[in-house]
Amino acid sequence: MTGVHDHTKRTADVGDRYRLTRISFDVISAFGCLRAQGLPGPVIVGILDEHGYSSSSVHNQLVRMVHRNLLTSEKLGRVSIYRLSERILSGFMDIAGDREAPTYEGSFHSALYSIPETARTLRDRFQYVARMLGYRQLRPGVLLSFADLSHELATQLPAVVEAGWCEFATIRPEDIEAAKRMTSRAFDLEAASGQLPPLEDALAALSLNDTRPGLGQPEMSLVRFFDIYYQVAQAVMTHPILPAELVGPEQPALRFRTLMDRCNLEYYLRFDQQLLERAGSSSTFDLIEWLPSD
């Protein structure tokens, strides 16, 4: 075991900075919908008006997201340009289509910690940071990962109270069957499998069982569509791709990413032009910073 950390490296609110609420997800989705890396505030307000949000609620949310380091902002005259933070941008690479699986080399990287019940809020924040980085909980006080994330976690530890501690270690299962059981428990494969049927049914209804994408349920509203999109994106972010030798070739994470691809196609066929036109109606349209085209 190496690296005992008993002292804070950052302020105590680190964990909450990266928790995505529904409105913060919808703000971030505006960047993906327009394929942009920088958006003027009025464009974001216009896009989220299509989602049913008021102008004041969007402005308040943008301020909160900048404060929590989910977004950055820059003033250009009287207009603020918002950009996704590096952490959020990298986190959404998986939604964009990353399919790379980690390797299993006979052991897990782990974080062992103890934070007392009297500091429950701090414990929750610590767990949010670890989860965002890629750790998953095998049991209370034991987090597992397939990569060595000790440095990343150590530099982002929320304040650990005096009686608390965190250590990093390597756990080597007795055999491959034990490794499979530990993976299933830590990464909650049973829950993941249970999430799949309703989401697959919803996408099948939209695409007429994948035969005519965009033509099923033509009355589907943007708001209702993004209810489905949000659930699929959450599943993608919650369930990382795992080594095939531990979970098999048909693991839930890959099926969630297939659903994400189908969501993106349904969005393009149904709502892409609508939101481009809404963005184009803004006087700040020319300030949009587009992502490089492939």
Side-chain angles (χ1 to χ4, degrees):
M1 294 184 183
T2 60
V4 180
H5 300 273
D6 291 319
H7 303 288
T8 177
K9 298 277 177 96
R10 291 191 181 180
T11 55
D13 64 346
V14 168
D16 286 344
R17 291 178 184 172
Y18 307 120
R19 178 192 266 174
L20 292 185
T21 62
R22 173 58 192 271
I23 185 172
S24 61
F25 176 85
D26 285 340
V27 168
I28 292 169
S29 75
F31 291 83
C33 290
L34 296 177
R35 294 173 288 282
Q37 56 190 355
L39 290 177
V43 170
I44 298 175
V45 169
I47 294 296
L48 266 70
D49 180 68
E50 299 286 324
H51 287 259
Y53 295 108
S54 68
S55 174
S56 61
S57 68
V58 175
H59 282 298
N60 291 338
Q61 182 63 25
L62 289 173
V63 171
R64 286 193 292 269
M65 292 177 73
V66 170
H67 179 70
R68 295 176 182 175
N69 289 344
L70 298 172
L71 299 176
T72 63
S73 67
E74 177 187 2
K75 275 284 190 180
L76 290 181
R78 299 179 63 183
V79 177
S80 292
I81 305 296
Y82 295 91
R83 302 178 183 91
L84 298 179
S85 71
E86 287 299 319
R87 176 168 297 281
I88 294 300
L89 190 60
S90 64
F92 273 72
M93 289 301 292
D94 211 12
I95 292 181
D98 188 1
R99 300 293 190 271
E100 186 175 347
T103 57
Y104 176 66
E105 298 176 346
S107 63
F108 296 100
H109 298 278
S110 67
L112 313 177
Y113 67 95
S114 176
I115 302 175
E117 181 65 23
T118 53
R120 181 175 179 179
T121 300
L122 282 177
R123 185 178 63 205
D124 290 345
R125 289 170 177 165
F126 173 85
Q127 290 170 340
Y128 275 122
V129 173
R131 189 173 184 86
M132 175 63 74
L133 289 171
Y135 285 100
R136 292 297 184 270
Q137 186 165 289
L138 177 65
R139 52 154 296 158
V142 181
L143 302 173
L144 295 186
S145 172
F146 286 99
D148 182 1
L149 302 169
S150 56
H151 176 73
E152 290 86 345
L153 183 56
T155 58
Q156 296 187 52
L157 286 176
V160 177
V161 295
E162 187 174 342
W165 53 265
C166 175
E167 298 182 2
F168 298 107
T170 299
I171 296 178
R172 187 173 297 278
E174 183 178 8
D175 53 34
I176 192 69
E177 293 306 316
K180 289 179 180 179
R181 290 192 296 271
M182 294 169 71
T183 300
S184 180
R185 290 168 185 152
F187 291 86
D188 213 357
L189 295 185
E190 183 177 350
S193 297
Q195 287 179 267
L196 278 164
L199 292 178
E200 289 178 330
D201 288 347
L203 267 298
L206 291 179
S207 64
L208 299 178
N209 290 320
D210 242 5
T211 61
R212 303 181 71 185
L215 295 180
Q217 299 186 351
E219 75 287 353
M220 173 71 69
S221 68
L222 178 73
V223 173
R224 175 62 187 127
F225 173 78
F226 267 89
D227 287 341
I228 300 171
Y229 197 105
Y230 177 61
Q231 293 176 60
V232 174
Q234 274 195 317
V236 168
M237 290 186 288
T238 300
H239 301 291
I241 297 176
L242 303 172
E245 60 265 42
L246 298 182
V247 295
E250 297 296 323
Q251 60 178 294
L254 290 176
R255 292 169 65 184
F256 284 129
R257 284 154 180 77
T258 296
L259 291 177
M260 192 79 264
D261 291 340
R262 292 169 64 184
C263 275
N264 288 332
L265 177 60
E266 291 292 330
Y267 166 79
Y268 178 78
L269 294 173
R270 294 168 183 266
F271 304 111
D272 183 64
Q273 190 60 35
Q274 173 186 338
L275 293 191
L276 281 174
E277 290 175 358
R278 184 59 189 258
S281 69
S282 172
S283 60
T284 61
F285 180 79
D286 290 341
L287 297 178
I288 294 176
E289 298 172 2
W290 305 101
L291 286 168
S293 57
D294 295 332

